[in-house]
Amino acid sequence: AQTVTQSQPEMSVQEAETVTLSCTYDTSESDYYLFWYKQPPSRQMILVIRQEAYKQQNATENRFSVNFQKAAKSFSLKISDSQLGDAAMYFCASAYNNNDMRFGAGTRLTVKP
Amino acid sequence: EAQVTQNPRYLITVTGKKLTVTCSQNMNHEYMSWYRQDPGLGLRQIYYSMNVEVTDKGDVPEGYKVSRKEKRNFPLILESPSPNQTSLYFCASSLLGGWGSSEQYFGPGTRLTVT
């Protein structure tokens, strides 16, 4: 079975510092997509960033960037200049085809003032 | 405003009492899906629909039914709820089923408790 693994159930970071959330996945597919979603206390699922597997360049969205290591099947999320509003549950996800999106168990990020 | 709506947002019910959670999107999206979120398990897909009258099972379809009679609506039906269906449920939609080409929009979630 295809799986997505987030090995850090909880992480914390000091405000204005940088934090990296880890994600690994398992697939035999060559064409797939990877995502990071943020879930704040409101429970709303918010897309943070996505990466197409065929693109070697790492995706970036403002303070959020990924380190995509295709051979290692690793997809970590780096949050720079952390803000209090970044505190949330973060989910890594992969989509191997049109109808098969898999999520990791999530990492709860705490931001300390 | 483009959005996915779910109702109710919170529901407490008893074992065996049929219930329906509604989902509606106003973006003319073809693809809709239901997930459940449980601690330590992330989100798991229950059912999905590629278009009107086209539905298929996800990873955890047991105990659930869906229908897609209209493009905008995708209700989730629990005909005989059991306590193990206590969970947080999300409806999602995207323009197409190709995830990389169209963002998936999530509803606000429905917290269901079955006693």
Side-chain angles (χ1 to χ4, degrees), chain A residues 33 35 37 39 42-47 50 52 89 91 94-106, chain B residues 9-10 31 35 37 40 42-43 45 48 50 59 88 90 97-100 102-104 106-109 111:
Chain A
Y33 303 91
F35 307 84
Y37 279 90
Q39 186 180 49
S42 66
R43 303 190 320 223
Q44 182 69 45
M45 294 289 286
I46 302 165
L47 178 64
R50 70 179 172 209
E52 290 89 344
M89 182 74 87
F91 291 99
S94 65
Y96 301 100
N97 57 42
N98 286 354
N99 312 314
D100 182 17
M101 193 165 195
R102 302 299 175 96
F103 287 82
Chain B
R9 295 289 309 279
Y10 301 89
Y31 190 102
Y35 296 88
Q37 180 182 348
L43 281 77
Q45 191 178 57
Y48 63 89
M50 294 290 286
D59 288 332
L88 177 61
F90 285 99
W99 302 112
S102 59
E103 180 179 344
Q104 188 170 187
F106 283 83
R111 171 71 70 187

Side-chain angles (χ1 to χ4, degrees), chain B residues 7-107:
Chain B
N7 282 292
R9 295 289 309 279
Y10 301 89
L11 179 60
I12 300 173
T13 189
V14 296
T15 298
K17 186 176 181 181
K18 181 179 179 179
L19 66 92
T20 299
V21 183
T22 65
C23 173
S24 183
Q25 50 91 6
N26 62 1
M27 296 168 280
N28 202 35
H29 284 173
E30 290 188 355
Y31 190 102
M32 298 186 75
S33 181
W34 276 102
Y35 296 88
R36 61 177 288 174
Q37 180 182 348
D38 301 290
L41 297 176
L43 281 77
R44 294 177 293 168
Q45 191 178 57
I46 303 171
Y47 268 95
Y48 63 89
S49 170
M50 294 290 286
N51 213 324
V52 176
E53 302 293 358
V54 180
T55 64
D56 209 344
K57 297 177 180 178
D59 288 332
V60 288
E62 294 77 21
Y64 304 95
K65 286 177 59 177
V66 293
S67 69
R68 188 92 181 271
K69 293 183 171 59
E70 304 167 281
K71 198 172 187 177
R72 63 184 295 126
N73 296 323
F74 190 45
L76 180 69
I77 303 159
L78 285 72
E79 296 214 331
S80 184
S82 62
N84 64 12
Q85 292 178 299
T86 292
S87 187
L88 177 61
Y89 290 86
F90 285 99
C91 180
S93 74
S94 68
L95 183 61
L96 300 170
W99 302 112
S101 60
S102 59
E103 180 179 344
Q104 188 170 187
Y105 294 81
F106 283 83

Side-chain angles (χ1 to χ4, degrees), chain A residues 69-89:
Chain A
Q69 301 289 329
K70 192 172 184 178
K73 297 180 181 175
S74 171
F75 184 61
S76 60
L77 175 70
K78 185 171 81 171
I79 306 174
S80 304
D81 185 25
S82 296
Q83 300 175 359
L84 295 177
D86 295 333
M89 182 74 87

Side-chain angles (χ1 to χ4, degrees), chain A:
Chain A
Q2 292 151 344
T3 57
V4 176
T5 302
Q6 294 178 249
S7 59
Q8 307 152 318
E10 296 183 354
M11 291 282 285
S12 67
V13 63
Q14 206 71 34
E15 194 176 5
E17 298 291 308
T18 296
V19 65
T20 298
L21 308 184
S22 301
C23 173
T24 58
Y25 58 94
D26 179 26
T27 179
S28 57
E29 304 289 339
S30 59
D31 187 15
Y32 55 91
Y33 303 91
L34 299 164
F35 307 84
W36 279 99
Y37 279 90
K38 172 185 178 182
Q39 186 180 49
S42 66
R43 303 190 320 223
Q44 182 69 45
M45 294 289 286
I46 302 165
L47 178 64
V48 175
I49 201 165
R50 70 179 172 209
Q51 173 85 41
E52 290 89 344
Y54 65 87
K55 290 187 177 179
Q56 293 193 354
Q57 186 174 4
N58 289 328
T60 299
E61 288 288 341
N62 300 315
R63 297 182 294 107
F64 298 87
S65 61
V66 297
N67 183 6
F68 174 44
Q69 301 289 329
K70 192 172 184 178
K73 297 180 181 175
S74 171
F75 184 61
S76 60
L77 175 70
K78 185 171 81 171
I79 306 174
S80 304
D81 185 25
S82 296
Q83 300 175 359
L84 295 177
D86 295 333
M89 182 74 87
Y90 286 82
F91 291 99
C92 178
S94 65
Y96 301 100
N97 57 42
N98 286 354
N99 312 314
D100 182 17
M101 193 165 195
R102 302 299 175 96
F103 287 82
T107 296
R108 183 171 301 281
L109 178 67
T110 302
V111 181
K112 299 177 180 178

